[in-house]
Short mmCIF file of all heavy atoms in Angstrom, two decimals:
data_model
loop_
_atom_site.label_atom_id
_atom_site.label_comp_id
_atom_site.label_asym_id
_atom_site.label_seq_id
_atom_site.Cartn_x
_atom_site.Cartn_y
_atom_site.Cartn_z
N ARG A 7 4.47 -3.12 16.52
CA ARG A 7 4.52 -3.45 17.95
C ARG A 7 4.89 -4.93 18.16
O ARG A 7 4.72 -5.45 19.24
CB ARG A 7 3.17 -3.19 18.57
CG ARG A 7 2.74 -1.74 18.61
CD ARG A 7 3.66 -0.86 19.42
NE ARG A 7 3.77 -1.33 20.80
CZ ARG A 7 4.69 -0.88 21.64
NH1 ARG A 7 5.62 0.00 21.23
NH2 ARG A 7 4.77 -1.34 22.88
N GLU A 23 18.06 15.58 7.41
CA GLU A 23 19.26 15.03 8.05
C GLU A 23 20.46 15.04 7.12
O GLU A 23 21.55 14.74 7.52
CB GLU A 23 19.01 13.60 8.55
CG GLU A 23 17.87 13.51 9.52
CD GLU A 23 17.71 12.15 10.15
OE1 GLU A 23 18.68 11.62 10.68
OE2 GLU A 23 16.62 11.59 10.05
N HIS A 24 20.19 15.39 5.88
CA HIS A 24 21.27 15.43 4.85
C HIS A 24 20.87 16.54 3.86
O HIS A 24 19.66 16.74 3.63
CB HIS A 24 21.35 14.06 4.15
CG HIS A 24 22.39 13.96 3.12
ND1 HIS A 24 22.19 14.37 1.81
CD2 HIS A 24 23.68 13.53 3.16
CE1 HIS A 24 23.28 14.19 1.10
NE2 HIS A 24 24.23 13.67 1.90
N ASP A 51 15.69 -7.89 12.08
CA ASP A 51 15.95 -6.52 12.47
C ASP A 51 14.80 -5.58 12.11
O ASP A 51 15.02 -4.48 11.53
CB ASP A 51 17.31 -5.97 11.91
CG ASP A 51 17.93 -4.89 12.84
OD1 ASP A 51 17.24 -4.56 13.85
OD2 ASP A 51 19.00 -4.40 12.53
N ARG A 53 12.44 -3.42 13.97
CA ARG A 53 12.44 -2.88 15.32
C ARG A 53 11.05 -2.35 15.76
O ARG A 53 10.34 -1.79 14.93
CB ARG A 53 13.51 -1.77 15.46
CG ARG A 53 14.90 -2.38 15.11
CD ARG A 53 16.02 -1.37 15.29
NE ARG A 53 17.26 -1.94 14.75
CZ ARG A 53 18.38 -1.32 14.63
NH1 ARG A 53 18.49 -0.04 15.02
NH2 ARG A 53 19.49 -1.92 14.17
N HIS A 56 9.01 0.86 14.38
CA HIS A 56 9.26 1.11 12.96
C HIS A 56 7.97 1.43 12.19
O HIS A 56 6.93 0.85 12.49
CB HIS A 56 9.92 -0.11 12.34
CG HIS A 56 10.59 0.15 11.01
ND1 HIS A 56 11.54 1.17 10.84
CD2 HIS A 56 10.49 -0.45 9.82
CE1 HIS A 56 11.95 1.16 9.60
NE2 HIS A 56 11.34 0.22 8.96
N GLY A 91 22.22 7.48 -6.92
CA GLY A 91 22.41 7.94 -8.28
C GLY A 91 23.88 7.98 -8.71
O GLY A 91 24.13 8.31 -9.88
N ALA A 97 25.18 3.94 -11.19
CA ALA A 97 25.70 4.46 -12.48
C ALA A 97 25.40 3.49 -13.60
O ALA A 97 25.45 3.87 -14.80
CB ALA A 97 27.21 4.67 -12.37
N ASN A 108 22.45 1.92 2.48
CA ASN A 108 22.08 0.90 3.47
C ASN A 108 23.32 0.47 4.23
O ASN A 108 24.06 -0.44 3.78
CB ASN A 108 21.42 -0.31 2.80
CG ASN A 108 20.99 -1.34 3.83
OD1 ASN A 108 21.14 -1.17 5.04
ND2 ASN A 108 20.43 -2.47 3.35
N ALA A 109 23.54 1.06 5.39
CA ALA A 109 24.71 0.68 6.22
C ALA A 109 24.57 -0.70 6.78
O ALA A 109 25.58 -1.35 7.14
CB ALA A 109 24.87 1.72 7.34
N THR A 112 24.90 -5.24 2.71
CA THR A 112 25.36 -5.01 1.37
C THR A 112 24.54 -5.83 0.32
O THR A 112 24.61 -5.56 -0.86
CB THR A 112 26.82 -5.43 1.20
OG1 THR A 112 26.95 -6.82 1.55
CG2 THR A 112 27.75 -4.58 2.09
N HIS A 122 15.47 -2.52 9.44
CA HIS A 122 16.84 -2.03 9.41
C HIS A 122 17.70 -2.85 8.45
O HIS A 122 18.79 -2.42 8.12
CB HIS A 122 17.41 -1.94 10.83
CG HIS A 122 17.03 -0.71 11.55
ND1 HIS A 122 15.72 -0.41 11.86
CD2 HIS A 122 17.75 0.38 11.90
CE1 HIS A 122 15.62 0.78 12.43
NE2 HIS A 122 16.84 1.29 12.50
N ARG A 136 10.67 11.15 5.52
CA ARG A 136 11.96 11.67 5.03
C ARG A 136 12.29 10.97 3.74
O ARG A 136 12.31 9.72 3.70
CB ARG A 136 13.07 11.44 6.09
CG ARG A 136 14.44 11.79 5.61
CD ARG A 136 15.51 11.20 6.46
NE ARG A 136 16.83 11.40 5.87
CZ ARG A 136 17.90 10.70 6.16
NH1 ARG A 136 17.84 9.64 7.02
NH2 ARG A 136 19.06 10.90 5.55
N ASP A 141 16.92 14.71 -5.22
CA ASP A 141 17.21 15.02 -6.63
C ASP A 141 17.26 13.77 -7.53
O ASP A 141 17.44 13.89 -8.74
CB ASP A 141 18.53 15.80 -6.73
CG ASP A 141 18.36 17.27 -6.39
OD1 ASP A 141 17.22 17.77 -6.54
OD2 ASP A 141 19.33 17.89 -5.99
N TYR A 167 5.82 -5.29 -14.07
CA TYR A 167 6.41 -4.99 -15.39
C TYR A 167 7.82 -5.48 -15.46
O TYR A 167 8.25 -6.10 -16.47
CB TYR A 167 6.29 -3.48 -15.62
CG TYR A 167 6.69 -2.99 -17.00
CD1 TYR A 167 6.12 -3.50 -18.14
CD2 TYR A 167 7.67 -1.99 -17.12
CE1 TYR A 167 6.50 -3.06 -19.42
CE2 TYR A 167 8.04 -1.50 -18.40
CZ TYR A 167 7.43 -2.04 -19.52
OH TYR A 167 7.85 -1.57 -20.76
N GLN A 171 9.87 -8.47 -17.79
CA GLN A 171 11.11 -8.22 -18.52
C GLN A 171 12.20 -9.22 -18.15
O GLN A 171 12.93 -9.69 -19.00
CB GLN A 171 11.60 -6.82 -18.26
CG GLN A 171 10.75 -5.72 -18.85
CD GLN A 171 11.15 -4.34 -18.33
OE1 GLN A 171 12.20 -3.85 -18.68
NE2 GLN A 171 10.33 -3.78 -17.42
N LEU A 199 2.40 -7.53 -23.48
CA LEU A 199 3.08 -6.45 -24.19
C LEU A 199 4.38 -6.93 -24.82
O LEU A 199 4.82 -6.42 -25.85
CB LEU A 199 3.42 -5.29 -23.22
CG LEU A 199 2.25 -4.68 -22.46
CD1 LEU A 199 2.76 -3.49 -21.60
CD2 LEU A 199 1.16 -4.20 -23.41
N ALA A 202 3.86 -12.47 -25.52
CA ALA A 202 3.49 -13.81 -25.10
C ALA A 202 2.38 -14.37 -25.96
O ALA A 202 1.48 -13.65 -26.42
CB ALA A 202 3.08 -13.80 -23.60
N LEU A 211 -7.13 -18.02 -4.86
CA LEU A 211 -8.17 -17.10 -4.40
C LEU A 211 -9.05 -16.73 -5.57
O LEU A 211 -8.57 -16.13 -6.55
CB LEU A 211 -7.53 -15.86 -3.78
CG LEU A 211 -6.64 -16.15 -2.56
CD1 LEU A 211 -5.87 -14.90 -2.14
CD2 LEU A 211 -7.47 -16.65 -1.40
N ASP A 230 -6.09 -25.07 -5.75
CA ASP A 230 -6.90 -25.79 -4.76
C ASP A 230 -7.73 -26.90 -5.48
O ASP A 230 -8.12 -27.85 -4.83
CB ASP A 230 -7.89 -24.83 -4.07
CG ASP A 230 -7.26 -24.19 -2.86
OD1 ASP A 230 -6.13 -24.60 -2.46
OD2 ASP A 230 -7.87 -23.30 -2.28
N LYS A 271 5.22 -19.90 10.30
CA LYS A 271 4.79 -19.90 11.66
C LYS A 271 5.94 -20.20 12.62
O LYS A 271 6.22 -19.44 13.52
CB LYS A 271 3.66 -20.94 11.89
CG LYS A 271 2.34 -20.50 11.24
CD LYS A 271 1.76 -19.28 11.95
CE LYS A 271 0.39 -18.83 11.42
NZ LYS A 271 0.39 -18.31 10.10
N ARG A 329 13.77 3.38 -13.30
CA ARG A 329 14.15 2.96 -14.66
C ARG A 329 12.96 2.51 -15.49
O ARG A 329 12.96 2.59 -16.71
CB ARG A 329 15.21 1.85 -14.50
CG ARG A 329 15.91 1.49 -15.77
CD ARG A 329 17.13 0.61 -15.46
NE ARG A 329 17.51 -0.16 -16.63
CZ ARG A 329 18.61 -0.94 -16.72
NH1 ARG A 329 19.41 -1.02 -15.67
NH2 ARG A 329 18.88 -1.59 -17.81
N ARG A 333 8.73 4.37 -19.82
CA ARG A 333 8.00 3.47 -20.66
C ARG A 333 6.66 3.08 -20.05
O ARG A 333 5.64 2.98 -20.74
CB ARG A 333 8.87 2.20 -20.91
CG ARG A 333 8.25 1.23 -21.93
CD ARG A 333 8.19 1.79 -23.32
NE ARG A 333 7.80 0.78 -24.32
CZ ARG A 333 7.44 1.10 -25.54
NH1 ARG A 333 7.42 2.35 -25.94
NH2 ARG A 333 7.09 0.14 -26.36
N HIS A 363 -4.89 -6.64 8.82
CA HIS A 363 -5.53 -7.93 9.03
C HIS A 363 -6.34 -8.35 7.85
O HIS A 363 -6.28 -9.51 7.43
CB HIS A 363 -6.41 -7.92 10.31
CG HIS A 363 -7.06 -9.20 10.58
ND1 HIS A 363 -6.36 -10.28 11.12
CD2 HIS A 363 -8.31 -9.66 10.34
CE1 HIS A 363 -7.15 -11.31 11.22
NE2 HIS A 363 -8.38 -11.00 10.72
N ASP A 370 -12.78 -10.21 2.49
CA ASP A 370 -13.57 -9.38 1.60
C ASP A 370 -12.93 -9.22 0.20
O ASP A 370 -13.05 -8.19 -0.43
CB ASP A 370 -13.74 -7.98 2.22
CG ASP A 370 -14.61 -7.98 3.45
OD1 ASP A 370 -15.39 -8.96 3.57
OD2 ASP A 370 -14.56 -7.05 4.24
N TRP B 40 -0.84 -5.61 -27.20
CA TRP B 40 -0.05 -6.86 -27.43
C TRP B 40 1.16 -6.50 -28.31
O TRP B 40 1.04 -5.92 -29.37
CB TRP B 40 -0.90 -7.94 -28.06
CG TRP B 40 -0.12 -9.22 -28.19
CD1 TRP B 40 -0.02 -10.19 -27.23
CD2 TRP B 40 0.72 -9.65 -29.30
NE1 TRP B 40 0.83 -11.19 -27.67
CE2 TRP B 40 1.29 -10.90 -28.90
CE3 TRP B 40 1.04 -9.08 -30.50
CZ2 TRP B 40 2.17 -11.59 -29.75
CZ3 TRP B 40 1.91 -9.81 -31.33
CH2 TRP B 40 2.47 -11.01 -30.95
N ASP B 43 6.05 -4.13 -26.58
CA ASP B 43 7.43 -4.25 -26.11
C ASP B 43 8.09 -5.50 -26.66
O ASP B 43 9.01 -6.05 -26.03
CB ASP B 43 7.47 -4.30 -24.57
CG ASP B 43 7.14 -2.96 -23.93
OD1 ASP B 43 7.18 -1.90 -24.67
OD2 ASP B 43 6.82 -2.93 -22.75
N PRO B 50 12.68 -1.26 -20.69
CA PRO B 50 13.59 -0.37 -19.92
C PRO B 50 14.67 -1.09 -19.14
O PRO B 50 15.69 -0.47 -18.81
CB PRO B 50 12.64 0.35 -18.95
CG PRO B 50 11.36 -0.34 -19.02
CD PRO B 50 11.30 -1.09 -20.29
N SER B 51 14.56 -2.40 -18.89
CA SER B 51 15.57 -3.08 -18.15
C SER B 51 16.56 -3.81 -19.04
O SER B 51 17.36 -4.60 -18.57
CB SER B 51 14.94 -4.06 -17.17
OG SER B 51 14.17 -3.40 -16.23
N PRO B 53 19.72 -3.28 -21.81
CA PRO B 53 20.40 -4.42 -21.16
C PRO B 53 20.47 -4.21 -19.66
O PRO B 53 20.24 -3.11 -19.18
CB PRO B 53 21.76 -4.36 -21.81
CG PRO B 53 21.98 -2.90 -22.08
CD PRO B 53 20.67 -2.37 -22.45
N ALA B 58 25.12 4.87 -17.37
CA ALA B 58 24.55 6.20 -17.68
C ALA B 58 24.57 7.06 -16.41
O ALA B 58 23.53 7.43 -15.91
CB ALA B 58 23.17 6.07 -18.24
N THR B 62 20.95 10.19 -13.77
CA THR B 62 20.30 9.84 -12.54
C THR B 62 19.78 11.05 -11.76
O THR B 62 18.97 10.90 -10.83
CB THR B 62 21.23 9.06 -11.63
OG1 THR B 62 22.33 9.88 -11.23
CG2 THR B 62 21.73 7.79 -12.31
N HIS B 65 24.25 15.12 -8.61
CA HIS B 65 25.24 16.13 -9.01
C HIS B 65 26.39 16.07 -8.03
O HIS B 65 26.79 17.08 -7.41
CB HIS B 65 24.60 17.53 -9.07
CG HIS B 65 23.58 17.80 -7.96
ND1 HIS B 65 23.91 18.30 -6.73
CD2 HIS B 65 22.23 17.61 -7.95
CE1 HIS B 65 22.86 18.44 -5.97
NE2 HIS B 65 21.78 18.04 -6.72
N GLU B 70 27.72 13.90 -0.10
CA GLU B 70 28.13 14.49 1.17
C GLU B 70 27.74 13.53 2.29
O GLU B 70 26.68 12.88 2.25
CB GLU B 70 27.41 15.83 1.34
CG GLU B 70 27.92 16.64 2.52
CD GLU B 70 27.30 18.03 2.53
OE1 GLU B 70 27.01 18.57 1.43
OE2 GLU B 70 27.07 18.56 3.63
N GLN B 72 26.29 12.26 5.73
CA GLN B 72 25.30 12.61 6.76
C GLN B 72 25.95 12.59 8.13
O GLN B 72 26.70 11.63 8.45
CB GLN B 72 24.16 11.59 6.69
CG GLN B 72 23.04 11.77 7.68
CD GLN B 72 21.96 10.69 7.54
OE1 GLN B 72 21.67 10.24 6.41
NE2 GLN B 72 21.34 10.29 8.60
N GLU B 79 25.46 1.39 13.72
CA GLU B 79 25.87 0.05 13.39
C GLU B 79 25.98 -0.12 11.88
O GLU B 79 25.29 0.59 11.14
CB GLU B 79 24.87 -0.98 13.96
CG GLU B 79 23.54 -1.12 13.23
CD GLU B 79 22.53 -0.03 13.57
OE1 GLU B 79 22.86 0.90 14.38
OE2 GLU B 79 21.39 -0.10 13.09
N SER B 81 27.08 -3.18 8.58
CA SER B 81 27.57 -4.50 8.14
C SER B 81 29.08 -4.44 7.99
O SER B 81 29.59 -3.48 7.45
CB SER B 81 26.93 -4.84 6.79
OG SER B 81 27.61 -5.93 6.21
N HIS B 84 30.69 -3.69 4.64
CA HIS B 84 30.85 -2.34 4.16
C HIS B 84 32.22 -1.81 4.59
O HIS B 84 32.68 -2.09 5.69
CB HIS B 84 29.75 -1.41 4.71
CG HIS B 84 28.57 -1.26 3.81
ND1 HIS B 84 28.66 -0.86 2.51
CD2 HIS B 84 27.23 -1.40 4.06
CE1 HIS B 84 27.46 -0.77 1.95
NE2 HIS B 84 26.57 -1.11 2.89
N THR B 93 17.91 6.69 10.41
CA THR B 93 18.12 7.04 11.81
C THR B 93 16.93 6.61 12.64
O THR B 93 16.84 6.98 13.84
CB THR B 93 18.40 8.51 12.02
OG1 THR B 93 17.31 9.25 11.43
CG2 THR B 93 19.67 8.96 11.39
N ALA B 94 16.01 5.84 12.13
CA ALA B 94 14.85 5.44 12.87
C ALA B 94 15.23 4.37 13.87
O ALA B 94 16.14 3.56 13.63
CB ALA B 94 13.82 4.84 11.90
N GLN B 95 14.62 4.39 15.05
CA GLN B 95 14.80 3.40 16.08
C GLN B 95 16.27 3.00 16.30
O GLN B 95 16.66 1.85 15.99
CB GLN B 95 13.97 2.13 15.76
CG GLN B 95 12.49 2.34 15.65
CD GLN B 95 12.09 2.77 14.22
OE1 GLN B 95 12.55 2.23 13.25
NE2 GLN B 95 11.22 3.75 14.11
N TYR B 109 25.98 -7.31 14.33
CA TYR B 109 26.68 -6.49 13.30
C TYR B 109 28.17 -6.51 13.44
O TYR B 109 28.91 -6.56 12.44
CB TYR B 109 26.10 -5.07 13.33
CG TYR B 109 24.70 -4.95 12.72
CD1 TYR B 109 23.59 -4.80 13.49
CD2 TYR B 109 24.60 -5.00 11.33
CE1 TYR B 109 22.36 -4.72 12.92
CE2 TYR B 109 23.33 -4.93 10.74
CZ TYR B 109 22.19 -4.78 11.56
OH TYR B 109 20.97 -4.70 10.98
N GLU B 114 27.13 -10.73 6.80
CA GLU B 114 25.83 -11.16 6.30
C GLU B 114 25.85 -12.60 5.81
O GLU B 114 24.80 -13.23 5.65
CB GLU B 114 25.35 -10.24 5.16
CG GLU B 114 25.17 -8.81 5.56
CD GLU B 114 25.21 -7.89 4.38
OE1 GLU B 114 24.40 -8.03 3.45
OE2 GLU B 114 26.11 -7.00 4.32
N ASP B 145 -0.01 -1.93 25.42
CA ASP B 145 -0.36 -2.69 24.23
C ASP B 145 -1.70 -3.34 24.41
O ASP B 145 -2.05 -3.83 25.49
CB ASP B 145 0.68 -3.79 23.97
CG ASP B 145 1.89 -3.24 23.22
OD1 ASP B 145 1.69 -2.49 22.24
OD2 ASP B 145 3.03 -3.54 23.60
N GLU B 156 -12.70 -8.79 11.55
CA GLU B 156 -13.46 -10.02 11.29
C GLU B 156 -14.96 -9.75 11.52
O GLU B 156 -15.82 -10.34 10.83
CB GLU B 156 -13.06 -11.14 12.28
CG GLU B 156 -11.60 -11.58 12.09
CD GLU B 156 -11.43 -12.54 10.91
OE1 GLU B 156 -12.45 -13.05 10.42
OE2 GLU B 156 -10.29 -12.77 10.53
N ASP B 160 -17.33 -9.24 5.14
CA ASP B 160 -18.45 -9.74 4.39
C ASP B 160 -18.40 -11.25 4.43
O ASP B 160 -17.47 -11.88 3.93
CB ASP B 160 -18.35 -9.25 2.93
CG ASP B 160 -19.38 -9.87 2.04
OD1 ASP B 160 -20.25 -10.57 2.53
OD2 ASP B 160 -19.30 -9.61 0.82
N GLY B 166 -13.00 -17.21 0.47
CA GLY B 166 -11.77 -17.05 -0.35
C GLY B 166 -10.56 -16.60 0.48
O GLY B 166 -9.53 -16.40 -0.04
N ARG B 170 -7.38 -19.97 5.56
CA ARG B 170 -8.29 -21.00 6.06
C ARG B 170 -7.61 -22.27 6.37
O ARG B 170 -8.03 -23.05 7.23
CB ARG B 170 -9.47 -21.21 5.08
CG ARG B 170 -9.16 -21.83 3.75
CD ARG B 170 -10.46 -21.92 2.96
NE ARG B 170 -10.24 -22.64 1.70
CZ ARG B 170 -9.73 -22.07 0.62
NH1 ARG B 170 -9.40 -20.80 0.68
NH2 ARG B 170 -9.57 -22.72 -0.51
N ARG B 171 -6.50 -22.59 5.67
CA ARG B 171 -5.79 -23.83 5.99
C ARG B 171 -5.15 -23.75 7.35
O ARG B 171 -4.93 -24.76 7.98
CB ARG B 171 -4.68 -24.06 4.97
CG ARG B 171 -5.18 -24.59 3.65
CD ARG B 171 -3.98 -25.20 2.85
NE ARG B 171 -4.37 -25.66 1.59
CZ ARG B 171 -4.55 -24.88 0.51
NH1 ARG B 171 -4.35 -23.58 0.62
NH2 ARG B 171 -4.90 -25.39 -0.65
N ASP B 176 -3.14 -19.59 13.54
CA ASP B 176 -2.87 -18.13 13.68
C ASP B 176 -3.18 -17.64 15.11
O ASP B 176 -2.35 -16.95 15.70
CB ASP B 176 -3.65 -17.35 12.64
CG ASP B 176 -3.10 -17.53 11.27
OD1 ASP B 176 -1.99 -18.10 11.13
OD2 ASP B 176 -3.69 -17.06 10.31
#
Side-chain angles (χ1 to χ4, degrees):
Chain A
R7 296 297 303 167
E23 301 187 55
H24 181 274
D51 210 357
R53 300 182 188 174
H56 197 53
N108 182 3
T112 58
H122 277 65
R136 173 195 172 203
D141 280 335
Y167 185 56
Q171 292 170 71
L199 303 183
L211 299 170
D230 273 353
K271 289 291 184 291
R329 191 167 159 174
R333 185 66 173 166
H363 181 77
D370 291 341
Chain B
W40 185 88
D43 288 344
S51 296
T62 65
H65 40 87
E70 189 174 328
Q72 179 179 327
E79 75 280 5
S81 166
H84 264 307
T93 55
Q95 300 86 44
Y109 283 105
E114 298 160 58
D145 278 316
E156 297 280 347
D160 175 6
R170 67 182 184 279
R171 281 196 183 83
D176 288 350

